[in-house]
Amino acid sequence: MASIASLALLCSAIIAPTQAVNQTVRIPYENTYLLPSDFSGNVNQSFVNGTTTSNFRINSLLQKANGAPFIAYDESFLDVIGDEPQPRLIDNRTTLFAYEAGVWIPELNQVWFTSSTYQASTIPGYITVLDLLTNTLHELNGTSKPIINPNGAYYFDGKVWIATYPSSANETYNGGIISVDPRTLEVETVLNSYFGLPFNFPDDLVWTTQVNNRYLFFTDPFYGFLPYPDNFKTPQLPVGVWRWDPQEDLLLPVISRNEIQPNGVRVSPDMKSLYVTDSTATFVTQTPYNPPVGPAAENWLGPYIYKYDLNEEMLPVNRRVFGLVREGIADGIHVDDDGNVWTAESEGIVVRSPKGRVIGLFNAAYFQGEVAAASRIPIANFALAGDTLVIFGVSSLWTVKLNKTAVSANSVIVN
C-alpha cells in the first residue's frame, strides 16, 4: 500500500488548480428516472457505477461521473458547490479514525469527530479535533473524566452532546448521553438508563427548541455486534427514538421499533420537522437475533429517510418517506440553513432539497479512504462547518470549500 506521503502527493496532483476544471459531472435529472428500456442496474453498486444502457452518451456520462468528486443532478447543487470546487486532503491513515459525529464548534473554529465502531474491539473509541484555521488534527485529551466509546454528537447551548455506546460484555460501561464543555473539557453524564435498563447503542442526537423549552431526541438502535462481534451485550430495551424533556424531567420513547431501526436524527431549521434515517436493511441482515428469513427481509422497512412533523407537544407524528437510499443505508444526517438534507450513504454525501429531490452528491469513490474502501466500510458521517464541508472518509479526512454558507455560526441548527 502507498505511503501517506505519496498518497498526499497523488491527491495534491489531482486537486491542483490546473486540474480543477471538469471535476463536477452534470447528469440530467431525467436520467435518474428515465433510461432506455434495456438498462440494467446493480443495487450493490452506485447509480453511476452499476448502471448500463444501450445509449453510448449516457454510458459515457456515467463512466465519467464514476471517478469524479462531485456529481450534480440539479442546478441548485452548483449553487452549493460553485463552479470549481476543490477537495483538500487533510489526512490519510491506516486506521479508521474519521467516522462519526461531525460537530462544528463555531466559537473555536473546530470540528470534532469520532473513530469507527468497527475497530473498537482493538482500538478504543476516541475523539479527534480538526482546527479549521490551520487544518491540523489532535486527539481530544484532558477531559475531566474519560469519554468511553463516543459515537454521534451535536453542538447546542455551548456544549458538545455525545451519544456513547456500551463496552463489551466483560466491561462495566453502559453507554448513554454525555455533555462536554469544549473550553473547560468538563464532562457530565446526562442520562444512561431507563428504570435501571441500559440503552442498546445510543447513536445520534439532536436538540430542538420551542419558545423557551428545549428537547433532546436521540436514536437507540442495536449495533453491539459491530464493535464486539464475538462479545456483545444482549439488548434489554426495544430500539427506537427517545426524547428527554428537561423541563418536565421526563424521558420517553417516542418512535418505536415497529416503525424504524433508527440511526441518524436531525431537525429542520424551523423546528417543525424531524428527520430520521432507517438502517433496517443492515439490522435484518447482520444481527444474530433475527432468524434467516430470506433476502426479501432486507426490503421490509429500510433503507429510508423518514420525515416526521413535530406537533404542538414537540412529539414526532405523521411519518412519511422523505427519501429512498440508492445504495446501502443513510447513516449520518445534517440539515443546512436552506432546509436541504445531507446524508452519508454508500454512494457518498448525498444532498436532497427540502422536497426530497436528490440535487447532487460528493462521490464516495473519490473521498472514501483506501483502507476503508478495501474493508468495505462506507462513509458514515461528515460536518457542515460554515462554508466548509468536512468529509470523513473513515480512513481519510477531506475538506471542500463550498460556494455558500451551509450552516451559519448563529444558526439554530449548528450541527
Side-chain angles (χ1 to χ4, degrees):
M1 192 172 170
S3 68
I4 292 176
S6 62
L7 287 169
L9 289 172
L10 172 62
C11 292
S12 298
I14 292 174
I15 65 176
T18 56
Q19 301 287 325
V21 179
N22 297 326
Q23 285 205 108
T24 303
V25 176
R26 306 182 187 187
I27 297 177
Y29 192 78
E30 181 182 70
N31 290 156
T32 68
Y33 63 83
L34 181 62
L35 294 169
S37 59
D38 63 346
F39 77 90
S40 64
N42 188 335
V43 72
N44 296 313
Q45 295 178 305
S46 69
F47 169 57
V48 297
N49 187 40
T51 305
T52 57
T53 77
S54 58
N55 185 298
F56 176 78
R57 180 193 63 81
I58 294 176
N59 287 348
S60 297
L61 188 61
L62 295 176
Q63 185 176 14
K64 182 180 180 182
N66 187 42
F70 313 104
I71 302 174
Y73 296 110
D74 191 275
E75 289 296 317
S76 60
F77 187 66
L78 302 177
D79 183 46
V80 172
I81 64 173
D83 294 330
E84 294 184 359
Q86 297 187 24
R88 178 168 183 166
L89 179 65
I90 304 300
D91 202 353
N92 193 63
R93 302 181 184 179
T94 57
T95 57
L96 310 178
F97 75 107
Y99 190 67
E100 265 287 9
V103 175
W104 177 43
I105 306 171
E107 297 88 345
L108 301 180
N109 206 20
Q110 295 177 346
V111 168
W112 291 15
F113 55 91
T114 61
S115 56
S116 176
T117 56
Y118 284 89
Q119 65 181 14
S121 62
T122 55
I123 303 176
Y126 58 92
I127 296 172
T128 301
V129 178
L130 167 65
D131 185 318
L132 289 169
L133 182 63
T134 61
N135 286 319
T136 57
L137 299 171
H138 69 269
E139 191 171 325
L140 183 68
N141 290 308
T143 53
S144 62
K145 56 184 176 182
I147 299 175
I148 301 173
N149 287 351
N151 206 2
Y154 194 81
Y155 184 64
F156 176 77
D157 197 25
K159 294 183 178 181
V160 178
W161 306 76
I162 304 173
T164 66
Y165 57 92
S167 290
S168 58
N170 59 0
E171 298 180 15
T172 59
Y173 186 68
N174 285 308
I177 307 297
I178 66 171
S179 68
V180 184
D181 186 318
R183 296 166 186 80
T184 66
L185 299 184
E186 184 71 24
V187 177
E188 294 183 9
T189 300
V190 180
L191 50 92
N192 60 13
S193 83
Y194 181 72
F195 288 91
L197 298 178
F199 297 106
N200 300 307
F201 198 87
D203 190 271
D204 200 8
L205 66 160
V206 66
W207 278 98
T208 64
T209 57
Q210 183 187 61
V211 192
N212 295 322
N213 294 330
R214 56 183 192 162
Y215 305 88
L216 173 68
F217 291 90
F218 67 95
T219 62
D220 187 38
F222 171 62
Y223 286 131
F225 55 89
L226 293 180
Y228 309 112
D230 300 319
N231 190 21
F232 53 84
K233 294 185 177 182
T234 301
Q236 298 185 56
L237 287 170
V239 302
V241 178
W242 294 74
R243 193 197 71 173
W244 180 50
D245 176 354
Q247 290 77 221
E248 298 290 338
D249 198 20
L250 177 63
L251 174 67
L252 290 174
V254 291
I255 300 176
S256 73
R257 171 68 183 95
N258 295 329
E259 292 188 42
I260 193 171
Q261 169 74 13
N263 198 321
V265 61
R266 282 299 181 269
V267 68
S268 61
D270 60 8
M271 298 288 173
K272 293 182 178 179
S273 302
L274 191 73
Y275 296 95
V276 187
T277 61
D278 181 14
S279 302
T280 297
T282 298
F283 181 83
V284 170
T285 56
Q286 292 194 35
T287 174
Y289 287 98
N290 275 272
V293 292
E298 296 183 33
N299 298 322
W300 176 39
L301 289 177
Y304 291 121
I305 304 164
Y306 285 113
K307 183 177 182 179
Y308 295 80
D309 294 330
L310 290 173
N311 66 13
E312 65 278 0
E313 298 180 78
M314 291 300 275
L315 294 171
V317 297
N318 302 327
R319 183 188 74 164
R320 65 268 198 197
V321 173
F322 175 77
L324 174 65
V325 178
R326 168 61 176 78
E327 181 191 4
I329 63 169
D331 194 332
I333 180 170
H334 297 262
V335 182
D336 66 26
D337 287 346
D338 292 329
N340 296 313
V341 178
W342 304 51
T343 50
E345 306 175 16
S346 290
E347 285 192 294
I349 310 301
V350 180
V351 185
R352 292 174 172 84
S353 74
K355 293 185 177 180
R357 180 187 183 97
V358 175
I359 62 173
L361 63 86
F362 301 82
N363 193 1
Y366 186 94
F367 291 105
Q368 187 179 16
E370 292 82 1
V371 172
S375 302
R376 304 190 60 152
I377 299 175
I379 293 174
N381 221 320
F382 55 96
L384 297 178
D387 62 354
T388 300
L389 169 66
V390 184
I391 301 176
F392 309 147
V394 189
S395 59
S396 64
L397 184 74
W398 296 78
T399 60
V400 178
K401 185 67 71 174
L402 303 174
N403 187 51
K404 62 190 300 186
T405 297
V407 177
S408 62
N410 60 356
S411 172
V412 296
I413 54 167
V414 171
N415 64 102

